[in-house]
Amino acid sequence: MNIHFDIPTYKASLKDIHVKNEEAIIGTFRRYSKNRLKRTLGRHLSSSFVSNLTIQSYNSQFDFRLNNQLRAFLSNASWTLKEQGVTIGEIREQPVGRTLIVTTEQGELEVKSTLLSLREIEINLRLDKPVAIAKGKRKGSIHNPTFDLALHPHSLTFPPAFFAALCFLHIHQG
């Protein structure tokens, strides 16, 4: 399955980002903060002040909630992963490199890009031998960037918008 989404040119944008396949919109995600001061003023100082993501897909809703604002601003961040308000896992940045580790009851995922190809992102299921779940690439001009993601058949039950949001989080990591 091939999906894509537009990357906002303003890093701390709070607008809805639509995940689309060839036919229609299949999900939406956006940045948010419950703190009004961070939402109105703080996001202009640093996009890490609005590092929470909410994802809405067919019949499910996910939240990536930042655990420690100060630590995210200074060092490696971590997020609590919630589905319909219930904690199902964690997302954390690796100390070195451009990698996010997603831990859920369905398994452990690795979202990474290599130094030689920073515009490309791979999502792998971490087993004895990594299993490719998705591969995406940033495309378009500076004024209209998009991200195309090809999902491979896999055993995970997460909707495609979930994987698109992971890629968005990886793009805006750090």
Side-chain angles (χ1 to χ4, degrees), residues 11 31 46-49 51 71-77 79 93 97-100 168-174:
K11 195 173 179 181
R31 290 176 173 266
S46 172
S47 61
S48 70
F49 285 120
S51 290
R71 185 172 179 178
F73 192 68
L74 299 174
S75 179
N76 300 323
W79 293 262
E93 289 180 330
R98 300 278 300 167
T99 305
L100 294 173
F168 178 82
L169 194 63
H170 183 276
I171 290 168
H172 293 294
Q173 175 182 351

Side-chain angles (χ1 to χ4, degrees), residues 102-122:
V102 182
T103 307
T104 69
E105 63 257 359
Q106 294 185 38
E108 198 169 87
L109 300 171
E110 180 180 53
V111 183
K112 68 177 184 170
S113 60
T114 62
L115 190 58
L116 298 176
S117 58
L118 290 174
R119 296 173 64 91
E120 294 182 10
I121 296 175
E122 294 178 7

Side-chain angles (χ1 to χ4, degrees), residues 29-76:
F29 62 89
R30 67 178 169 80
R31 290 176 173 266
Y32 76 94
S33 174
K34 290 185 177 186
N35 184 317
R36 185 173 178 212
L37 184 62
K38 288 180 185 177
R39 195 172 50 243
T40 56
L41 181 63
R43 72 186 177 106
H44 300 295
L45 300 174
S46 172
S47 61
S48 70
F49 285 120
V50 286
S51 290
N52 297 327
L53 277 179
T54 183
I55 303 107
Q56 185 69 43
S57 191
Y58 306 114
N59 56 358
S60 58
Q61 181 178 352
F62 295 92
D63 276 330
F64 298 169
R65 292 194 184 159
L66 188 64
N67 290 333
N68 186 325
Q69 186 69 59
L70 182 61
R71 185 172 179 178
F73 192 68
L74 299 174
S75 179
N76 300 323

